[in-house]
Amino acid sequence: MTGSLVLAIESSCDETGVALVEDGRRIHANVVASQVALHAPTGGIVPEVAARAHLRWIVPALDEALAAAGVSVADVDGIAVTSGPGLAGSLLVGINFAKTLAWAHGKPLVGVNHLEGHVYAGWLLDPGEAARDAPAFPLVALVVSGGHTFLVEMRDDLTYRLLGTTVDDAAGEAFDKVGRLLGLGYPGGPAISAAAERATAHDRVFPRAWMGDSYDFSFSGLKTAARRIIAEARAEAGLPADATGAPLPDELLAELAWGFQDAVVDVLATKTIRAAEETGAAGIVLGGGVASNEALRTRIASAATARGLRITLPRPGLCTDNGAMIGAAGARRLAAGDLADLSLDATPTWPLSRVTRG
Ligand code: KG4
Ligand code: ZN
């Protein structure tokens, strides 16, 4: 290893991530301890439970990452940690851990915006993966996760112009809520995507909120419409209103899942392509958990390619929360001299538009 090595820590939500990333691109280790199974019985994240699980897993995750990369903390050139946005208690576990390591080993420390991490996942290379060009500027990035949905224009590294954002629910939140209405487990996104794949009829139309000519998004109306459409479908099939004990027949479930997913994908893809064209972008970068959705990936990739736009789609494991993406963004923040000291604190609310430098 000859480049600059960053140790990166992510604990903003329900994944404990520790990674080692060289030169902001090459992954040497990327350990993710998922709490999905822990939160499944409650159908969502209980913040106190999440924070305790981060405490339990962060040391084993560091040990595993160091062993996988064959390095020790003394070998790293800097430490990057997610300092917001996210759950305060969860963020503080990673922040205090990173501060302790930085202090004990005399390493530079940087606090990274989690959303900036989702954007920079597109720059990562897996261990052994052939080198490829980094995404070229100017570009448009769509970040779609459980907590956030926005479009930004980037004309250079670490600079963002907010084009549009959700005025209510995040796209992932809509997937999770409609997943529950369909009687699917938590998280709803992967379950809806799998059910939609099985659909043979594709004629259930769910409403799209276009928000005029803006690049903003709205998903709460779709969720309300989904509640009504699902209730009507259950009544037509002679099923009781309550999903517990009387699940939807698989064919009907698949049709409804497809209709909902198609409405979300249609709006996200249409606005992203239009934003790329109207801003004169060279390409599009996708990030966030919902960017692992196959229908969204296929739709945006084919529309982008048809227009000569370069498309960057991180593999699904790099779209959902992980430490490597914090290493990719953190390396650039360290190089820019955006250093933190031991007073680094959690910033639970921290929109990407306010990250802009200068
Ligand atoms: O980025 P992420 O791991 O965590 C946040 O920062 O929020 O995103 C999690 C979200 C969840 O809402 C989950 O349902 C959604 O991403 N998600 C998906 C898929 N995989 C994960 N949504 C749609 N299709 C998928 N395949
Ligand atoms: Zn995330």
Side-chain angles (χ1 to χ4, degrees):
M1 196 178 314
T2 52
S4 171
L5 191 65
V6 168
L7 168 65
I9 294 159
E10 153 65 35
S11 71
S12 67
C13 191
D14 60 345
E15 323 277 355
T16 315
V18 179
L20 287 143
V21 178
E22 185 183 359
D23 289 337
R25 290 204 73 190
R26 177 70 65 185
I27 298 174
H28 286 269
N30 189 22
V31 175
V32 179
S34 173
Q35 301 178 11
V36 162
L38 185 65
H39 299 299
T42 42
I45 299 163
V46 178
E48 174 72 9
V49 173
R52 292 167 81 108
H54 285 304
L55 266 179
R56 165 77 184 81
W57 289 110
I58 203 151
V59 174
L62 172 69
D63 289 344
E64 194 182 327
L66 293 172
V71 297
S72 68
V73 179
D75 299 322
V76 310
D77 298 288
I79 298 176
V81 60
T82 306
S83 52
L87 303 167
S90 290
L91 287 165
L92 283 170
V93 174
I95 291 170
N96 287 325
F97 189 59
K99 286 202 284 197
T100 308
L101 289 172
W103 177 77
H105 294 268
K107 302 293 180 186
L109 175 71
V110 63
V112 174
N113 183 301
H114 178 82
L115 307 172
E116 184 164 61
H118 275 307
V119 170
Y120 274 97
W123 275 250
L124 289 167
L125 299 167
D126 275 313
E129 181 183 349
R132 64 181 138 74
D133 289 344
F137 300 111
L139 60 83
V140 161
L142 172 72
V143 172
V144 268
S145 73
H148 301 271
T149 297
F150 61 84
L151 263 171
V152 285
E153 180 195 15
M154 292 176 78
R155 299 209 148 257
D156 202 352
D157 265 319
L158 308 181
T159 62
Y160 311 90
R161 184 168 72 90
L162 186 68
L163 298 172
T165 186
T166 180
V167 300
D168 40 56
D169 293 351
E173 206 177 342
F175 269 98
D176 294 336
K177 286 177 178 167
V178 172
R180 255 195 304 270
L181 294 175
L182 288 169
L184 299 167
Y186 167 84
I192 288 184
S193 170
E197 289 290 312
R198 301 194 297 270
T200 50
H202 300 105
D203 39 30
R204 292 210 182 240
V205 178
F206 284 59
R208 277 89 164 134
W210 290 111
M211 310 296 286
D213 286 338
S214 81
Y215 294 122
D216 284 337
F217 303 97
S218 167
F219 296 107
S220 77
L222 173 59
K223 182 190 63 194
T224 309
R227 186 187 301 278
R228 177 181 49 76
I229 294 169
I230 293 166
E232 283 168 9
R234 292 188 66 87
E236 270 168 39
L239 294 164
D242 183 6
T244 45
L248 286 159
D250 196 62
E251 176 55 33
L252 185 53
L253 167 70
E255 260 181 57
L256 292 164
W258 182 88
F260 165 75
Q261 176 177 273
D262 191 54
V264 177
V265 167
D266 193 15
V267 174
L268 291 175
T270 303
K271 292 201 179 217
T272 304
I273 295 290
R274 183 162 63 79
E277 289 193 307
E278 290 182 358
T279 61
I284 294 169
V285 172
L286 250 55
V290 181
S292 55
N293 182 277
E294 199 48 48
L296 179 66
R297 296 166 76 88
T298 312
R299 170 85 178 260
I300 293 193
S302 60
T305 309
R307 289 163 179 79
L309 294 160
R310 223 178 112 195
I311 176 81
T312 303
L313 298 167
R315 68 174 165 83
L318 296 177
C319 289
T320 46
D321 291 351
N322 65 88
M325 69 187 204
I326 302 304
R332 287 161 178 86
R333 288 278 160 202
L334 281 166
D338 294 340
L339 298 186
D341 58 23
L342 296 184
S343 67
L344 181 65
D345 201 356
T347 310
T349 305
W350 185 7
L352 190 57
S353 55
R354 274 205 275 121
V355 170
T356 310
R357 289 193 304 139

